[in-house]
Amino acid sequence: MSDVIFMTGARGGAGTTTCAVKLGIALSEAGERTLIVDGDTECASGLQASGLQGLNVYTLADVETGACRVKQAILQHPSSPNLYVLPSLGCKDGGCVEKAVAECEPLFDYVICDQTARSACRRALLVSDPYHTSLTGAKKRGGELKDAGFKDVGLLINKVNGGLVFDGAILTPQEFATVVRLPLWGVIPEDLSLPLNKMRSGTKKAFALAAAFVSGKGKKTYGVVREYLGVKGIIKRKMRERV
């Protein structure tokens, strides 16, 4: 039986889709056969984030009308043989997505549902940025997931600026997780190259650690303040002060 995970954001702009795709890539690179269900029915943001935009022949909208089967709508990533994406572009019936997940989940080790098919999922992962303005939303959303029946809900904190954490301007990821009362499953550093479908080496390591945490093969999260320690860290902090 595959591990079906519902991913959602504490608020808009948290980077849920990007995190869903990159987490899926990290799981696939760890040898896990992984399916990402793109919940964006209007813009197919999951296809864009995974670099598959325009490569799909079918979507769940075609499954909905009977034009194809679920398996025919699944795309295999050309550069990640263990990674697959199921787009829901144009799909009008949320029940169709849930049925599709139930039908194809035996084929995969992990199914990541990006803000869709909640009732078909067994665990939930909440994505939030690290700022104080997101605390209330993260606490509320976490409570809603637990009320919906999820017994296993984790927190992935995205866009964490290590310099701000070091200076005490924002909470540490651990402090943020304590306040919202959710276990911390992953920490992703701020990376301005992510919108360009690229990743710094540190970001890739952070997603690999998060994937290991999700799969139960590790219990470490990425240390965002590490690069601000030591002699190099002093230089970096001085440079930040001048910006």
Side-chain angles (χ1 to χ4, degrees):
M1 182 179 292
S2 63
D3 191 352
V4 188
I5 303 172
F6 177 67
M7 287 189 65
T8 187
R11 65 173 183 172
T16 306
T17 296
T18 298
C19 287
V21 170
K22 301 307 182 186
L23 180 63
I25 291 173
L27 284 167
S28 70
E29 290 180 346
E32 308 288 355
R33 189 175 169 89
T34 305
L35 173 68
I36 299 169
V37 183
D38 180 5
D40 190 342
T41 61
E42 296 183 358
C43 301
S45 55
L47 282 178
Q48 297 178 36
S50 58
L52 297 176
Q53 186 179 19
L55 298 181
N56 61 294
V57 177
Y58 298 111
T59 75
L60 284 176
D62 298 297
V63 176
E64 188 177 25
T65 60
C68 73
R69 294 176 289 115
V70 174
K71 292 181 181 178
Q72 291 176 291
I74 297 175
L75 286 82
Q76 183 177 22
H77 201 288
S79 60
S80 300
N82 285 323
L83 182 66
Y84 299 78
V85 177
L86 177 60
S88 62
L89 183 66
C91 186
K92 298 178 181 179
D93 182 9
C96 176
V97 185
E98 294 173 353
K99 290 178 183 178
V101 171
E103 179 180 330
C104 64
E105 69 162 284
L107 303 173
F108 300 94
D109 299 311
Y110 287 88
V111 177
I112 298 176
C113 297
D114 178 22
Q115 304 176 86
T116 190
R118 188 177 72 175
S119 64
C121 301
R122 300 182 184 90
R123 293 199 288 168
L125 182 55
L126 179 65
V127 179
S128 177
D129 60 46
Y131 301 105
H132 292 78
T133 50
S134 295
L135 281 171
T136 301
K139 289 175 67 175
K140 181 179 179 181
R141 192 71 177 121
E144 290 173 349
L145 291 170
K146 292 178 180 178
D147 291 341
F150 287 106
K151 295 181 180 180
D152 194 5
V153 182
L155 178 66
L156 180 71
I157 303 184
N158 187 32
K159 304 179 182 181
V160 184
N161 185 302
L164 294 179
V165 173
F166 187 89
D167 293 340
I170 60 175
L171 296 176
T172 68
Q174 292 75 16
E175 290 170 338
F176 192 99
T178 299
V179 173
V180 302
R181 298 180 181 179
L182 288 176
L184 186 62
W185 289 3
V187 177
I188 309 302
E190 185 178 54
D191 187 346
L192 299 181
S193 67
L194 278 175
L196 302 176
N197 207 18
K198 298 178 181 180
M199 271 194 297
R200 290 162 37 199
S201 59
T203 307
K204 185 174 183 178
K205 180 179 180 181
F207 277 111
L209 288 171
F213 206 112
V214 167
S215 63
K217 297 178 180 178
K219 290 295 181 182
K220 294 182 179 180
T221 57
Y222 186 74
V224 290
V225 300
R226 191 172 303 152
E227 59 186 297
Y228 290 90
L229 302 175
V231 176
K232 291 183 178 180
I234 294 175
I235 296 173
K236 191 163 188 175
R237 294 201 303 273
K238 292 296 182 181
M239 291 178 65
R240 284 188 67 251
E241 292 174 358
R242 296 181 179 181
V243 176

